Amino acid sequence: MSIWEYANPVKFLRASGIVLPWIVAGAALCTVVGLVWGFLTPDDYRQGATVKIVFLHVPAALMAINAWMMMLVASLVWLIRRHHVSALAAKAAAPVGAVMTLIALITGAIWGQPMWGTWWEWDPRLTSFLVLFLFYLGYIALWEAIEDPDSAADLTGLLCLVGSVFAFLSRYAVNFWNQGLHQGASLSVAPGERMSSVYRYPLYVSMLGFFLLFLALVLIRTRTEIRRRRLAALLAREHRA
Amino acid sequence: MKALLWRDLQLAIRAGGGFGLSLAFFLIVCTLVPFGVGADGGQLSRIAAGILWVGALLSCLLSLDRIFALDHEDGSLDLLATAPLPLEGMVAIKALAHWLTTGLPLVICSPVLGILLHLPGAAYPWLVLSLTVGTPALSMLGAFGAALTVGLRRGGLLLSLLVLPLYVPTLIFGAETVRRGLMGTEVTTPLVFLAGITFATLALVPFAAAAALRVNLR
Amino acid sequence: MTLISVRDLAVARGGLRVIESLDFSLSGGQALVLRGPNGSGKTTLLRTLAGLQPAVAGQIDCPPDSIAYAGHADGLKPALTVSENLSFWASVFGGPAIGPALVAMNLTELTARPAHTLSAGQKRRLGLARLMVTGRPLWLLDEPTVSLDSNSVALFAAMLRAHLAAGGAALVATHIDLGLPEAGLLDLTPYRANLTRRDDRPAGFNEAFA
């Protein structure tokens, strides 16, 4: 019994069908609890009530990056081990990751307006998220453009690989290009910089909620993709016969 | 290998090859910007370095889809793939030919366009140097994008969407080199990063591009 | 000398196997004509043998750099002249001089003409002349006689016969009679893939998900 058994579409459908309701329930619970709890926290002495957008902003930003990481791993699994479900999981994760990036960008703009007095600042973090969003768009567009599913999986996998290197490079290039206004990491490990536990615990719950939400959406989309591929495969077989 | 490079250069220069198109495009971009931002010389000279880099990048983009598309249409790509030349080498040669017919002319003409945009005198050597170091990476990354989209009928627009984000680090370090040279501050750091990206791109991207071509040929 | 030997080969098109359990071999001096209805996988087989796409299963044994492939497209550049086109392929493949190839396909009077001024048949003749300048012993030909008139077909048959006499071999997918009585026949119909059988190694998405 190994994890690779779930690369079989039928097994994947069966196993994911069992865990999916639990993940959806967990995602709903954690997101609602995290966001409501976050909303009920006291105002920050410096940032006032605006700080509460952090419970939306930080988890979305976190998942935006993690979604790309997951796509990278899934692409590598496809390119090396040729597991078809893996390629479809990478395809399924892209729009979810793109939306997470968009949420992080929009909430960042809404937060930035009262804090920095501007909707948009060419700050390194904001800029690298914009670049990440462009990478997501390119990746999704390439999947859509290629008809043959095997070629599409291979080519998008290659793009994801090369894109990861350049997204990483852009992150540092952008840092070099403009030192920004953005505060340091919200959950820095260095003592003293840490945010108060009043905010930290609801943020953890919210992050878990976003993670489960991402997982649920990716599973649902992967299952849809598998069924769509199965439909196409049966049609192709029919045409051939 | 020499034969392939020679043929690509010949094809670019002969009628219908599109040689000079990207140069004309570069000129047009640099003419349009003052119409957009106003003729104030001080303002132009402040943004000239950036315009020249962005203009060079866009002109480079214009001819990318020709790198493999024509060879794919007429079947040459199939035949080249069965030739003794490794596909990685072929990709590198075609990127080199693209650079010689677009990148190099852009580098040579950039000082002239710098005059149009009131680029201050101290910046010229850095402009030429940074473009010389940076544009090969643009051609190589473009070859990767072209290899990804070679089988597609309307690959041109998609190609820009795929390639432009890859150009971000090169653009940042290239324009930063010129800006710093202009201000008289230390330029080694961005220049070294720019050269690093170019060398790494030239060393590694041919493999990715050749892999993409193999997928598109089957 | 065996130029190519194929054992238990399976090839796929569009993520589905088309041919499986194919065995054959070709030695110097032999020609084999591929037959089969449309969609039986002739082009796919030739492209797989040429190394342009991977085989799904089985083994292809042939010496390195021994295959010259000619598909539906001729690989000609319209802006280059006939001799420039041919010299280019000769130098890429490191093959012999272009003179004999021009003579064999009756192109000597056209050498200075740019390829875009040639007729379809003339282009095809130039595309076939390219085979000679590759200097490779095994020719894989996909419908080589398309748009050739009967004289040109005879020229091509003579060129092919000379190639076989010089120790070469050829695998030709064609529907017309080339006038090569010595050529063997390989009918692909019996090797048609049985898609109802499940396989551990799917050829592509269309097999993995059906």
Side-chain angles (χ1 to χ4, degrees):
Chain A
M1 183 71 186
S2 89
I3 188 164
W4 300 115
E5 282 196 17
Y6 295 103
N8 177 307
V10 180
K11 279 199 177 133
F12 178 87
L13 277 182
R14 200 183 305 135
S16 61
I18 295 168
V19 295
L20 188 57
W22 297 97
I23 295 177
V24 170
L29 186 72
C30 290
T31 325
V32 170
V33 168
L35 290 180
V36 171
W37 185 3
F39 193 73
L40 297 176
T41 51
D43 289 358
D44 185 72
Y45 72 96
R46 250 179 333 118
Q47 307 197 1
T50 59
V51 74
K52 288 171 186 174
I53 206 166
V54 81
F55 302 106
L56 212 51
H57 179 71
V58 170
L62 190 74
M63 288 325 295
I65 297 168
N66 286 356
W68 187 275
M69 294 288 182
M70 182 235 138
M71 281 158 56
L72 175 63
V73 173
S75 301
L76 280 172
V77 169
W78 159 250
L79 290 174
I80 296 167
R81 301 200 51 146
R82 315 298 289 177
H83 289 313
H84 294 79
V85 172
S86 180
L88 294 183
K91 182 186 182 187
V96 184
V99 171
M100 290 288 181
T101 317
L102 202 58
I103 294 175
L105 282 171
I106 292 173
T107 53
I110 295 173
W111 194 4
Q113 216 289 324
M115 285 302 101
W116 306 331
T118 169
W119 292 104
W120 182 260
E121 188 59 47
W122 288 96
D123 160 271
R125 284 194 175 213
L126 270 69
T127 312
S128 37
F129 265 80
L130 192 59
V131 173
L132 181 64
F133 186 61
L134 295 179
F135 274 108
Y136 273 120
L137 289 187
Y139 180 86
I140 296 167
L142 190 62
W143 260 111
E144 292 306 316
I146 304 168
E147 276 165 33
D148 179 63
D150 290 278
S151 308
D154 282 333
L155 295 174
T156 51
L158 278 170
L159 178 68
C160 185
L161 229 62
V162 175
S164 300
V165 175
F166 278 83
F168 187 75
L169 268 177
S170 304
R171 177 77 188 87
Y172 285 90
V174 159
N175 239 342
F176 179 86
W177 161 73
N178 192 357
Q179 307 297 331
L181 299 167
H182 200 288
Q183 56 191 305
S186 301
L187 288 171
S188 164
V189 276
E193 276 184 28
R194 294 182 101 164
M195 67 192 328
S196 144
S197 59
V198 184
Y199 299 121
R200 209 166 354 124
Y201 292 121
L203 185 57
Y204 283 150
V205 176
S206 188
M207 276 160 55
L208 180 64
F210 266 69
F211 174 73
L212 290 174
L213 178 67
F214 170 76
L215 203 61
L217 289 174
V218 169
L219 281 180
I220 292 170
R221 288 182 52 84
T222 311
R223 287 162 61 84
T224 314
E225 280 296 334
I226 289 175
R227 294 196 173 109
R228 204 161 75 99
R229 283 311 337 152
R230 181 164 164 74
L231 199 62
L234 291 174
L235 278 174
R237 188 162 290 217
E238 180 112 355
H239 291 319
R240 186 66 64 86
Chain B
M1 281 185 131
K2 245 189 276 170
L4 180 61
L5 180 64
W6 179 239
R7 182 195 71 150
D8 270 22
L9 294 179
Q10 255 183 328
L11 287 175
I13 290 163
R14 288 207 183 160
F19 178 75
L21 266 184
S22 18
L23 216 50
F25 182 79
F26 192 27
L27 174 67
I28 288 174
V29 169
C30 292
T31 318
L32 288 181
V33 168
F35 293 148
V37 302
D40 174 27
Q43 190 180 2
L44 277 180
S45 72
R46 242 180 303 123
I47 58 173
I51 298 169
L52 287 166
W53 252 97
V54 172
L57 191 145
L58 292 178
S59 322
C60 196
L61 195 70
L62 207 60
S63 48
L64 286 180
D65 60 334
R66 300 178 72 97
I67 297 184
F68 297 118
L70 296 179
D71 278 340
H72 185 255
E73 270 166 36
D74 64 23
S76 304
L77 211 52
D78 286 346
L79 305 177
L80 284 170
T82 58
L85 183 65
L87 214 49
E88 287 79 7
M90 192 210 54
V91 169
I93 291 288
K94 290 191 87 66
L96 174 64
H98 179 262
W99 183 74
L100 287 175
T101 51
T102 38
L104 192 59
L106 292 177
V107 173
I108 294 169
C109 294
S110 59
V112 182
L113 298 172
I115 295 171
L116 285 185
L117 294 171
H118 296 272
L119 185 71
Y124 284 91
W126 301 114
L127 175 70
V128 174
L129 184 63
S130 69
L131 281 174
T132 313
V133 174
T135 43
L138 301 185
S139 288
M140 195 64 243
L141 287 171
F144 172 63
L148 284 179
T149 55
V150 70
L152 303 173
R153 250 167 292 129
R154 291 208 193 127
L157 201 58
L158 180 63
L159 178 60
S160 333
L161 184 57
L162 299 183
V163 164
L164 283 179
L166 298 176
Y167 281 176
V168 169
T170 302
L171 173 64
I172 287 177
F173 289 122
E176 184 72 15
T177 304
V178 188
R179 249 197 321 272
R180 289 197 179 187
L182 189 61
M183 293 186 300
T185 50
E186 182 253 1
V187 292
T188 343
T189 322
L191 200 57
V192 165
F193 276 119
L194 185 65
I197 290 174
T198 300
F199 284 127
T201 303
L202 294 183
L204 299 175
V205 172
F207 295 96
L213 274 185
R214 281 195 191 97
V215 172
N216 272 323
L217 282 176
R218 68 180 187 219
Chain C
M1 191 184 92
T2 308
L3 281 172
I4 191 166
S5 90
V6 165
R7 271 200 311 276
D8 199 24
L9 182 73
V11 301
R13 186 183 67 231
L16 281 176
R17 276 166 299 162
V18 271
I19 299 172
E20 59 188 3
S21 322
L22 179 66
D23 291 274
F24 76 91
S25 71
L26 259 179
S27 307
Q30 283 184 324
L32 207 49
V33 173
L34 269 185
R35 285 276 157 82
N38 288 338
S40 60
K42 297 188 292 291
T43 299
T44 311
L45 174 62
L46 289 174
R47 290 183 70 86
T48 308
L49 295 178
L52 290 169
Q53 62 178 73
V56 177
Q59 248 185 323
I60 303 170
D61 290 311
C62 70
D65 288 344
S66 62
I67 289 175
Y69 168 76
H72 298 287
D74 293 316
L76 302 179
K77 288 294 165 193
L80 299 184
T81 65
V82 168
S83 60
E84 279 170 338
N85 266 305
L86 209 52
S87 319
F88 167 66
W89 290 115
S91 53
V92 165
F93 282 86
I98 63 168
L102 287 170
V103 174
M105 288 317 285
N106 193 19
L107 291 161
T108 36
E109 283 166 22
L110 303 172
T111 46
R113 289 256 298 270
H116 67 88
T117 63
L118 300 183
S119 74
Q122 288 167 332
K123 280 184 188 156
R124 190 80 233 193
R125 264 150 59 200
L126 180 51
L128 293 172
R130 182 189 57 84
L131 290 166
M132 278 183 76
V133 303
T134 59
R136 294 203 162 167
L138 179 59
W139 293 356
L140 302 179
L141 311 174
D142 197 355
E143 299 290 353
T145 55
V146 170
S147 64
L148 289 186
D149 57 20
S150 55
N151 285 341
S152 306
V153 171
L155 278 178
F156 168 65
M159 178 176 97
L160 196 52
R161 200 169 285 126
H163 175 66
L164 298 179
L171 185 60
V172 192
T174 183
H175 282 104
I176 67 154
D177 185 17
L178 287 173
L180 282 173
E182 67 270 35
L185 200 68
L186 179 61
D187 190 355
L188 289 179
T189 320
Y191 303 105
R192 192 183 160 87
N194 172 16
L195 292 178
T196 51
R197 200 191 59 180
R198 296 292 301 192
D199 202 284
D200 295 342
R201 287 185 52 213
F205 272 86
N206 283 338
E207 279 189 14
F209 288 94

